[in-house]
Amino acid sequence: MSLVELKDVVKSYGQNQVLKGVSLTVEKGEIIAIIGRSGSGKSTMLRCVNGLEPIQGGSVSFEGTKVNDPNTDLRKLRQHVGIVFQSFNLFPHLNVEKNITLAPRVVKGVAPAQTRALAESVLRKVGLADKIDAYPDQLSGGQQQRVAIARSLAMQPTLMLFDEITSALDPELVGEVLKTLEEMARDGMTMMLVTHEIGFARRVANRVVFMHHGKIWEQGPAADTLAKPATPELETFLSAVLH
Ligand SMILES: Nc1ncnc2c1ncn2[C@@H]1O[C@H](COP(=O)(O)OP(=O)(O)OP(=O)(O)O)[C@@H](O)[C@H]1O
Ligand SMILES: [Mg+2]
């Protein structure tokens, strides 16, 4: 059984069909980079995986559980699927430790005596152990984004979804966030990430999925697909982002 399975997913906003029959399977441990032009449906597809978007056709399943089934407990499912966005949305009035441990305490019932150790361990993974008592406004954008990643990791997800998490950062801060992702990849985390960082996708992803007009236009092993696109649309896209 695949970890994630999208079958002929159709998603519309009113008259606007934005996913036009998307099928994709993701195995445990895979790192999937999702690329494509603005409006091609990348974020929408990602959001379907953890049930943030109702769909009009097809099916989405995670670990064999149907995400688009009204009887599925989405809150429970989302404990296993972390998602990090471009805007990191840390709580400004809570310090780093509290930001990270809020959900584990409230949702998972992690005991107060264990939360600091939990925060320390996930902060070590993102290289920010020394910032445990800081408040978000005392951190750079890159550090805040790494705290947001640590916050997701604290729930011990099986799958992580990342939607252009470096796009809002100053260029000099992008590298530290990508490095964090690379380390998570090395640790074996399954990840689906929407990214414009083609070099990063080539280096870290197992597979590249190119979305175009609401469809998976082309997909394949990262290095091959990016070096030798099979479709003119991917070729055009790559030459636009690389130059
Ligand atoms: N909440 C919404 N309501 C109405 N239309 C939406 C909504 N979200 C997305 N869309 C439309 O769906 C299409 C796909 O959007 P999506 O956000 O998935 O694109 P994307 O590939 O992530 O683009 P970008 O690179 O700009 O983030 C677009 O035409 C967009 O206008
Ligand atoms: Mg998007």
Side-chain angles (χ1 to χ4, degrees):
M1 180 180 58
S2 300
L3 186 64
V4 178
E5 210 167 320
L6 283 79
K7 263 193 212 148
D8 303 322
V9 173
V10 174
K11 164 77 196 172
S12 303
Y13 292 106
Q15 297 298 311
N16 185 17
Q17 198 179 73
V18 299
L19 295 182
K20 300 173 179 169
V22 166
S23 298
L24 178 71
T25 56
V26 180
E27 307 302 329
K28 217 166 183 298
E30 271 196 302
I31 294 150
I32 312 284
I34 301 156
I35 61 174
R37 286 215 316 247
S38 180
S40 58
K42 304 180 299 294
S43 297
T44 305
M45 178 175 79
L46 211 60
R47 292 161 57 83
C48 286
V49 172
N50 71 344
L52 286 169
E53 298 286 353
I55 59 176
Q56 281 73 43
S59 68
V60 178
S61 63
F62 173 77
E63 289 187 316
T65 302
K66 212 161 171 203
V67 175
N68 60 311
D69 181 326
N71 297 319
T72 296
D73 183 349
L74 286 178
R75 275 203 351 215
K76 199 159 175 201
L77 178 122
R78 289 186 192 128
Q79 289 183 30
H80 303 280
V81 184
I83 185 161
V84 181
F85 301 100
Q86 187 173 323
S87 55
F88 9 96
N89 300 323
L90 298 175
F91 296 111
H93 59 292
L94 297 180
N95 70 12
V96 166
E97 177 186 354
K98 295 265 165 23
N99 262 286
I100 289 173
T101 57
L102 185 65
R105 279 193 294 123
V106 174
V107 180
K108 281 187 144 181
V110 173
Q114 288 159 14
T115 55
R116 189 155 177 105
L118 175 64
E120 281 168 351
S121 90
V122 291
L123 282 169
R124 264 199 302 278
K125 290 196 170 143
V126 301
L128 287 175
D130 55 331
K131 299 293 186 191
I132 190 164
D133 296 315
Y135 282 80
D137 67 1
Q138 299 170 323
L139 303 174
S140 73
Q143 290 171 335
Q144 290 185 50
Q145 191 56 292
R146 282 146 69 201
V147 170
I149 295 170
R151 179 174 59 178
S152 273
L153 286 177
M155 293 297 282
Q156 298 179 303
T158 310
L159 169 70
M160 286 287 304
L161 310 175
F162 296 105
D163 194 354
E164 296 200 43
I165 63 169
T166 60
S167 295
L169 299 176
D170 290 337
E172 72 271 20
L173 300 177
V174 168
E176 63 186 49
V177 174
L178 294 182
K179 191 167 152 250
T180 298
L181 292 186
E182 221 166 322
E183 277 160 19
M184 285 170 61
R186 222 172 294 139
D187 281 351
M189 178 65 77
T190 312
M191 311 200 279
M192 297 174 70
L193 51 109
V194 177
T195 183
H196 290 299
E197 304 285 339
I198 301 298
F200 175 79
R202 181 183 297 123
R203 207 168 60 247
V204 178
N206 306 111
R207 188 152 39 113
V208 164
V209 168
F210 171 58
M211 307 256 331
H212 190 65
H213 292 330
K215 290 184 177 160
I216 294 181
W217 207 256
E218 179 175 347
Q219 63 168 313
D224 298 354
T225 306
L226 293 170
K228 274 193 184 189
T231 61
E233 289 79 6
L234 177 54
E235 200 170 336
T236 305
F237 172 77
L238 288 175
S239 62
V241 289
L242 294 174
H243 299 115

